[in-house]
Amino acid sequence: MPSALSGEITRRRFMVASGMLVAAGCAIPAELLAQEDSLVQTAFRVAATAPITAKALRRNITVLSGPGGNIAVLTGADGKLLVDAEIVTARPNVAKAIASINSDPITQLINTHWHFDHAGGNEWVHQAGAKILAHENTRKHLRVDTRVEGWKHTFPAAPPGALPSEVFDEVHTVHANDTTLALKHYLPAHTDSDISVHFVEADVFHCGDTFWNRNYPFIDYSTGGSIDGTIRAAEANIATVTDSMIVIPGHGAVGAKADLILFRDVMAGQREKVAALKKQGMTLAEVIAAKPGASTDAEWGNGFMTPALFLEWVYQGT
Ligand SMILES: [Zn+2]
């Protein structure tokens, strides 16, 4: 493994790809690589070669899972509609996976929120023919340089072609491919730009990053996220989702209502433990050493976000 990848970032999500980290034929913006952080840079590098798997869900919906956020693909006579567009460097494998479904063009893209592992492919997907729709805060963050302290990274303003051409505030409905898509903005949760996408007829619900299935989530305090907002959104998802729904998380395997309940319970449980330890006067380092997530760390902290990172973001919000 290259030395740049050693240390804390030996994530399960990236392990398959880590043995073949060679420079891919995909340009990584120099200004992004010039920064000293490791997590975001590693994500850019790994995504260049990480595999993308396609799984047919129900009706005309397929989910693509790779190094970044899960992509939903809705197919039909109107052309492909995507929900999210992965990390920019994943383009070759994402394009291949999309083309493996059928040869129809991509005509629409919806962003669940502004983060680089969901909206990173915006520009190339737009160039391929898609118009982009998102919450207004997604466009707000993408159009300017945005610092994310939790990742110690500043994302430069996105080029004009990567910006959503249409935005909404609270709710929005899209009709495409004989499908009704009901979009809804969450109260500030993972960020202030999170939306859910309900494919009504297929009864498939994409939660974006308000739900990480058996993975500790990132919480972006720099653009409106918090642990309490994360728990509140998990409650909202549980209230919305029925037993028959297929639930697409931002990260992790496709699941169902029981997985959302587990996520809420783990988030609320960790918050409670960390708050109690902090109240006793413990520093962040002492809280991390106390391992309040011992029962879930092996499974949930084995992905992109380590237990220590997650605890840092919980500690910050309690
Ligand atoms: Zn995110």
Side-chain angles (χ1 to χ4, degrees):
M1 179 179 284
S3 59
L5 271 178
S6 60
E8 66 170 357
I9 305 174
T10 51
R11 323 273 191 219
R12 178 186 60 197
R13 180 181 308 284
F14 295 154
M15 281 181 73
V16 176
S18 63
M20 45 181 181
L21 276 177
V22 293
C26 192
I28 301 172
E31 57 202 335
L32 294 173
L33 289 178
Q35 296 182 36
E36 287 182 2
D37 60 287
S38 59
L39 195 147
V40 172
Q41 284 192 50
T42 301
F44 276 111
R45 286 197 199 92
V46 172
T49 52
I52 307 279
T53 58
K55 182 185 178 189
L57 292 184
R58 194 149 62 196
R59 217 163 169 264
N60 48 346
I61 299 168
T62 301
V63 66
L64 307 181
S65 300
N70 288 320
I71 297 175
V73 184
L74 176 75
T75 56
D78 300 322
K80 293 187 186 110
L81 180 152
L82 308 186
V83 177
D84 282 345
E86 263 281 0
I87 298 168
V88 65
T89 50
R91 175 181 179 171
N93 287 343
V94 171
K96 211 182 300 174
I98 291 171
S100 74
I101 300 171
N102 63 40
S103 59
D104 293 346
I106 307 169
T107 54
Q108 297 183 67
L109 167 62
I110 296 169
N111 291 142
T112 60
H113 62 298
W114 78 275
H115 279 158
F116 79 106
D117 50 333
H118 299 257
N122 276 19
E123 188 178 31
W124 75 261
V125 172
H126 171 70
Q127 284 167 354
K131 56 182 182 178
I132 305 174
L133 167 68
H135 185 264
E136 59 188 16
N137 287 341
T138 290
R139 185 161 70 184
K140 187 180 95 180
H141 296 309
L142 287 177
R143 77 188 329 166
V144 296
D145 293 359
T146 302
R147 175 76 178 170
V148 176
E149 286 301 335
W151 283 332
K152 299 179 175 58
H153 193 95
T154 300
F155 295 88
L163 297 176
S165 55
E166 187 181 2
V167 296
F168 68 95
D169 182 10
E170 290 308 318
V171 293
H172 189 80
T173 305
V174 173
H175 296 282
N177 296 328
D178 299 319
T179 298
T180 310
L181 293 90
L183 282 51
K184 190 172 181 193
H185 181 226
Y186 291 94
L187 292 170
H190 166 76
T191 67
D192 62 9
S193 63
D194 308 306
I195 63 164
S196 58
V197 180
H198 183 207
F199 299 90
V200 176
E201 292 80 0
D203 215 13
V204 172
F205 192 77
H206 197 317
C207 301
D209 275 1
T210 68
F211 173 38
W212 296 48
N213 198 357
R214 290 170 172 77
N215 281 274
Y216 289 138
F218 177 55
I219 300 169
D220 184 0
Y221 288 87
S222 295
T223 61
S226 67
I227 180 61
D228 288 347
T230 296
I231 294 168
R232 179 174 57 194
E235 297 284 4
N237 284 332
I238 290 166
T240 300
V241 168
T242 65
D243 290 336
S244 59
M245 275 188 194
I246 293 173
V247 184
I248 303 175
H251 300 266
V254 171
K257 184 165 187 167
D259 302 302
L260 280 171
I261 292 170
L262 176 65
F263 177 75
R264 187 269 319 269
D265 290 348
V266 170
M267 292 302 104
Q270 292 266 42
R271 190 216 178 279
E272 198 176 326
K273 285 181 191 168
V274 170
L277 296 172
K278 192 174 176 181
K279 206 172 171 188
Q280 290 171 23
M282 280 195 186
T283 62
L284 171 61
E286 287 166 342
V287 169
I288 291 169
K291 295 191 183 304
S295 63
T296 46
D297 283 352
E299 184 180 18
W300 291 60
N302 202 15
F304 196 47
M305 306 301 158
T306 61
L309 284 172
F310 175 63
L311 289 172
E312 184 179 333
W313 301 319
V314 176
Y315 189 91
Q316 186 176 345
T318 56

